[in-house]
Amino acid sequence: MRIAQVAPLAESVPPKLYGGTERVVSWLTEELVRQGHDVTLFASGDSETAATLVPAVPQGLRLAGVRDHTASILVMLNDVLRRAGEFDIIHFHIDLLQFPLFQHLFHKCVTTLHGRLDLPDVHPIYRAFPEMPLVSISGSQRGPMPLNVNWLATIDHGLPASLLPFKAGGGNYLAFLGRIAPEKRPDRAIEIAKRAQIPLKIAAKVDPADQEYFERVIEPLLDHPLIEFVGEIGDEKKDEFLGNALALLFPIDWPEPFGLVMIEAMSTGTPVIAWRSGSVPEIIDEGVTGFLVESIEDAVRATRQVRGLDRLAVRSRFEARFTVAKMASEYLHAYERLLVTLEYRHPLAKSAHGTRSIPSEVLPSLPSLPLLPSLTPIVGESVRHPSQRSYPHEAVIDDV
Amino acid sequence: MRIAQVAPLAESVPPKLYGGTERVVSWLTEELVRQGHDVTLFASGDSETAATLVPAVPQGLRLAGVRDHTASILVMLNDVLRRAGEFDIIHFHIDLLQFPLFQHLFHKCVTTLHGRLDLPDVHPIYRAFPEMPLVSISGSQRGPMPLNVNWLATIDHGLPASLLPFKAGGGNYLAFLGRIAPEKRPDRAIEIAKRAQIPLKIAAKVDPADQEYFERVIEPLLDHPLIEFVGEIGDEKKDEFLGNALALLFPIDWPEPFGLVMIEAMSTGTPVIAWRSGSVPEIIDEGVTGFLVESIEDAVRATRQVRGLDRLAVRSRFEARFTVAKMASEYLHAYERLLVTLEYRHPLAKSAHGTRSIPSEVLPSLPSLPLLPSLTPIVGESVRHPSQRSYPHEAVIDDV
């Protein structure tokens, strides 16, 4: 299959420092190449990949000092559009700029939504272009979205099985890994450790935006024999940091759409104690890979229960659910569903009424298009059923 | 002429409070309607206009609490695209989101660039789509732009002649009107007033973003008998505030692309003392409507010279250059140049080589397009000369 991966331009793929989306795009891209597919990656020029790299900008825009990425992304999207005929599937990892431009090509497009979807600012684009095939990264992520969008699948993130190897050791500290940010609730982690009388190691960065929160709320809590603020750690230290922990604390306070750090911990065999928020109930298997909690007391109790969990069982669940091989396999199934099914309601086919269609001066000449694929509902998923139609060119545009 | 005006969605047209671009869009729209044209205004639903209003969102997005306007603008642009056949001219007052989507329709599009153009973040879109006809609001605004873009004209902003009527009175204070922001240099205004021993009235708002600057830099300077901080004033007080002043101080420190407050002052007959920065040398007629300065000493000297200026001459220059009737007339000439000239290099006509063209599955079927208009160079302007071609469909895409 000829596949285009369209990445954000904030960071290189993979990122030089942080960048959850760019890490996932990198893992997926490299795995698809490894499996023999013809992959073209549209990303920043300092990306590193075995795929064909099409550099949209010379360097990841954040480190290049560019604040507004819109112009660069639009130029990249126009390049993708110009070359659309070279690909069987165009897979976007950005949230919204591609919708109007690719409205003629939704039959071969997929957009994975990587962020939270509850802020109303972005909903107009999904209401206006409900036909774009979407992939969510958790079931809970979908909740706030308009009801008639076109969910193709929910696909868990996955990382390479060998990236964070299993560590058998018991571990005698609780781990907190990530950013010192209010919604991640490092203060809860500190409280849990103190009440459970177990050491806590905090490996986290403090962004400029979070400096005030760190100084005002967290720093005062660090002065305690059980609490150790390790600061930022590089990727090469993650395996040791997570693998030697008793458990990862994930006491979040917001609708996390996935939470990569949870599967990173599980990869090393370390179980997770996490607040029941966002995606967490879908990621953690209660009593196997960790515990879901709703209070400090729950969490303290869980720190005692967690010693009874089998670290090998944690690793096994990771291998079953959260490897990049699994993620790539699910994406390939999703791509195939798009390409092989028979009927598709083309959103812009000129209807007999014609009042809502794009004027002919800008539309492609539709009679020459082949019958376009449609979306077979996935068993158990609630999706819109494309109406049965003999004449695809008489499709009516959704009333948005 | 059937004209679409496409406004930003941050504020209504006209704005409820502040919004330079939305004010100009409102003045232009109402004047075009007054002159008998068929105008459709794409803007927020709380806009007020004699044109046909197509509401893109219910309310101006800033007051509606929406921070990211991208999705709403994209949906609006798609509506404009769907209805493109209804208009002879589509006039955009937003900076970049329309370029890829309207690349087939540049022959009937105009974009007025309302902001500063020196920040590199946006340049990629202008390099990639150099054919979009652009209007600058001053000559100096063009300086930092890529060289091969398609300047159609420079058109001064203009306001209704009766909006800020002439006031004959001498005036005995200096006026500063606008925002308390570092680049507007209210501190210079205060220093000038103190050294010239002339009262200064500051009618300005303090945005949350500028609160720290106000408290740290400006507030300490206000405690002086000559300095009066009036705070925000509404539109209804502007005529009196500007009209009764000896001069407007405009001591800016940044490449201002236009500077509406200067022509507001001139409308009342009040001359302007302004730093030689950005558009200022093009707006002020030295020794007639004010003085261009480069230092506090210059400015102090100018406060004495300004009494020798003829307020009626200031008003006359305003009436000759900066009324909305003049602005509308220049835009209509620009629209007509687009529509009536005979030859146009269509950026996306399929060339014999075809390698850079948009694939046929998404291009309109070009053979049915009429000969498209081209751009006649404006006398005195340096523009690209479209190459002479007999076969418009063999136009080659610019190497961007």
Side-chain angles (χ1 to χ4, degrees), chain A residues 122-178:
Chain A
V122 293
H123 287 177
I125 207 76
Y126 305 125
R127 268 195 291 273
F129 298 98
E131 298 278 354
M132 163 72 91
L134 301 175
V135 169
S136 44
I137 59 178
S138 64
S140 77
Q141 187 198 29
R142 297 186 182 190
M145 285 284 274
L147 291 177
N148 65 333
V149 297
N150 192 4
W151 294 114
L152 183 57
T154 292
I155 298 177
D156 291 323
H157 288 331
L159 54 93
S162 58
L163 187 70
L164 292 158
F166 176 70
K167 285 183 117 52
N172 63 355
Y173 61 87
L174 298 166
F176 180 97
L177 174 64

Side-chain angles (χ1 to χ4, degrees), chain B residues 8-24 60-63 177-180 184 202-208 229-238 260-261 264:
Chain B
L9 298 178
E11 314 292 338
S12 58
V13 173
K16 301 283 178 267
L17 296 169
Y18 300 91
T21 302
E22 291 85 353
R23 289 169 79 202
V24 172
L61 293 180
R62 188 181 56 85
L63 291 176
L177 174 64
R179 267 174 43 234
I180 299 296
K184 293 190 185 286
I202 304 175
K205 67 194 290 267
V206 183
D207 278 339
F229 183 72
V230 173
E232 290 189 56
I233 60 171
D235 275 353
E236 71 292 349
K237 293 231 165 66
K238 255 192 205 179
L260 278 172
V261 70
E264 290 176 315

Side-chain angles (χ1 to χ4, degrees), chain A residues 170-244:
Chain A
N172 63 355
Y173 61 87
L174 298 166
F176 180 97
L177 174 64
R179 269 175 41 235
I180 300 294
E183 67 276 10
K184 294 190 183 285
R185 298 304 301 269
D187 60 308
R188 278 177 172 163
I190 291 167
E191 183 61 21
I192 293 161
K194 287 178 180 176
R195 288 207 220 172
Q197 286 289 294
I198 301 173
L200 170 71
K201 295 194 193 206
I202 303 176
K205 65 193 291 269
V206 183
D207 277 340
D210 298 316
Q211 189 67 33
E212 188 270 341
Y213 169 74
F214 174 71
E215 287 172 14
R216 180 173 52 85
V217 180
I218 301 304
E219 224 175 4
L221 305 174
L222 299 178
D223 186 17
H224 189 284
L226 288 173
I227 312 299
E228 180 185 349
F229 182 70
V230 173
E232 287 190 57
I233 60 171
D235 276 353
E236 72 291 349
K237 293 231 165 65
K238 255 191 205 178
D239 189 51
E240 189 187 315
F241 179 76
L242 289 171
N244 289 334

Side-chain angles (χ1 to χ4, degrees), chain A residues 66-68 70-71 74-75 78 81-82 85 96-97 100 103 105 121-122 124-125 128-129 356 358-359 361 363-364, chain B residues 66-68 70-71 74-75 78 81-82 85 96-97 101 103 105 121-122 124-125 128-129 356 358-359 361 363-364:
Chain A
V66 176
R67 293 184 56 190
D68 187 348
T70 308
L74 288 173
V75 174
N78 195 60
L81 183 64
R82 273 202 242 188
L96 59 100
L97 289 169
Q103 58 186 296
L105 295 174
D121 300 16
V122 293
I125 207 76
F129 298 98
R356 295 295 298 282
I358 301 284
E361 60 184 302
L363 258 190
Chain B
V66 176
R67 292 184 56 191
D68 187 347
T70 308
L74 289 173
V75 174
N78 195 61
L81 183 65
R82 273 201 242 190
L96 60 101
L97 289 169
L101 206 54
Q103 58 185 296
L105 294 174
D121 299 17
V122 294
I125 206 74
F129 297 98
R356 295 294 299 280
I358 301 283
E361 62 184 299
L363 256 191

Side-chain angles (χ1 to χ4, degrees), chain B residues 130-353:
Chain B
E131 298 278 355
M132 164 71 92
L134 300 175
V135 169
S136 44
I137 58 178
S138 63
S140 78
Q141 186 198 29
R142 297 186 182 189
M145 285 283 275
L147 290 177
N148 65 333
V149 298
N150 192 6
W151 293 115
L152 182 57
T154 293
I155 298 178
D156 291 323
H157 287 332
L159 53 94
S162 58
L163 186 70
L164 291 159
F166 176 71
K167 286 184 117 51
N172 63 355
Y173 61 88
L174 299 166
F176 180 98
L177 174 64
R179 267 174 43 234
I180 299 296
E183 67 275 11
K184 293 190 185 286
R185 299 304 301 268
D187 60 308
R188 277 178 173 164
I190 291 167
E191 183 62 20
I192 293 162
K194 288 177 180 176
R195 289 207 220 172
Q197 286 288 295
I198 301 172
L200 171 70
K201 296 196 192 204
I202 304 175
K205 67 194 290 267
V206 183
D207 278 339
D210 299 316
Q211 188 67 32
E212 188 269 342
Y213 169 74
F214 174 70
E215 287 171 13
R216 180 174 50 85
V217 180
I218 302 304
E219 225 176 3
L221 306 173
L222 299 179
D223 185 18
H224 190 284
L226 287 173
I227 312 301
E228 181 186 349
F229 183 72
V230 173
E232 290 189 56
I233 60 171
D235 275 353
E236 71 292 349
K237 293 231 165 66
K238 255 192 205 179
D239 189 51
E240 188 186 316
F241 179 77
L242 290 170
N244 288 334
L246 171 66
L248 174 79
L249 295 183
F250 197 63
I252 58 169
D253 200 356
W254 73 296
E256 170 74 65
F258 189 80
L260 278 172
V261 70
M262 288 190 281
I263 68 171
E264 290 176 315
M266 283 190 247
S267 176
T268 70
T270 293
V272 182
I273 297 169
W275 247 250
R276 188 182 291 276
S277 199
S279 64
V280 172
E282 302 167 58
I283 310 279
I284 308 294
D285 289 312
E286 176 82 11
V288 181
T289 57
F291 296 100
L292 296 149
V293 299
E294 292 178 50
S295 67
I296 304 276
E297 295 74 30
D298 282 357
V300 172
R301 192 175 316 122
T303 63
R304 291 189 273 278
Q305 291 170 308
V306 88
R307 293 178 196 278
L309 297 182
D310 177 0
R311 291 182 66 86
L312 244 138
V314 175
R315 170 73 192 190
S316 294
R317 289 303 285 149
F318 163 81
E319 286 177 4
R321 295 189 57 190
F322 299 119
T323 63
V324 66
K326 170 88 169 358
M327 173 175 71
S329 157
E330 295 195 339
Y331 273 113
L332 285 162
H333 289 153
Y335 300 159
E336 281 157 16
R337 273 203 304 281
L338 267 190
L339 294 180
V340 311
T341 52
L342 292 175
E343 193 221 344
Y344 183 75
R345 172 163 58 178
H346 195 287
L348 293 157
K350 262 198 324 220
S351 69
H353 313 285

